[in-house]
Amino acid sequence: MNLTKTAVLALGLFLALPALAITLNEARSQGLVGEANSGYIAIVDQSSQELKQLVSEVNTKRKREYAAIAKRNNIDIAQVAARAAEKLEARVKPGEYYQDTLGRWVRK
């Protein structure tokens, strides 16, 4: 009986773990991540494995998109990322973080 309860509890926790994952918008609004001056997302404070994974996933997708844009326009990916950084900074909502040109985190 005790083994059955443990197995059911373990299964429930296993199925619930994906639901506990933080989203990019949640991480932004909580001040955990911000828009870096590089065109990518970065951890502002209090790193965790979950945040590292989120940042990695978002940045991988951004890099793929930046590379496609760079290839279409025959320009360097760094130019695309720099332009994206400007646009992303302009879209930061009040209370969220972005990195200024000196690398300092600023709360909008």
Side-chain angles (χ1 to χ4, degrees):
M1 182 71 171
N2 198 14
L3 181 60
T4 304
K5 286 182 183 179
T6 304
V8 169
L9 179 61
L11 180 62
L13 287 174
F14 177 74
L15 294 174
L17 284 178
L20 297 176
I22 191 166
T23 67
L24 178 57
N25 286 336
E26 290 169 339
R28 278 186 187 136
S29 67
Q30 292 175 26
L32 301 173
V33 300
E35 292 296 339
N37 59 15
S38 62
Y40 297 93
I41 200 88
I43 296 173
V44 175
D45 195 19
Q46 301 179 6
S47 180
S48 70
Q49 190 58 39
E50 184 180 22
L51 279 178
K52 288 177 185 176
Q53 183 176 350
L54 174 68
V55 167
S56 176
E57 289 172 6
V58 170
N59 287 340
T60 297
K61 290 176 185 175
R62 285 186 181 185
K63 187 172 187 174
R64 191 176 313 126
E65 184 62 28
Y66 295 167
I69 293 168
K71 185 176 181 178
R72 279 195 310 267
N73 293 287
N74 199 28
I75 59 175
D76 188 67
I77 191 171
Q79 291 175 289
V80 176
R83 182 66 180 126
E86 294 171 6
K87 289 182 175 185
L88 291 165
E89 180 184 326
R91 293 186 203 154
V92 171
K93 296 176 184 170
E96 295 179 350
Y97 285 91
Y98 67 94
Q99 200 174 37
D100 68 13
T101 56
L102 298 176
R104 298 174 298 203
W105 287 109
V106 178
R107 187 173 225 153
K108 190 168 185 182

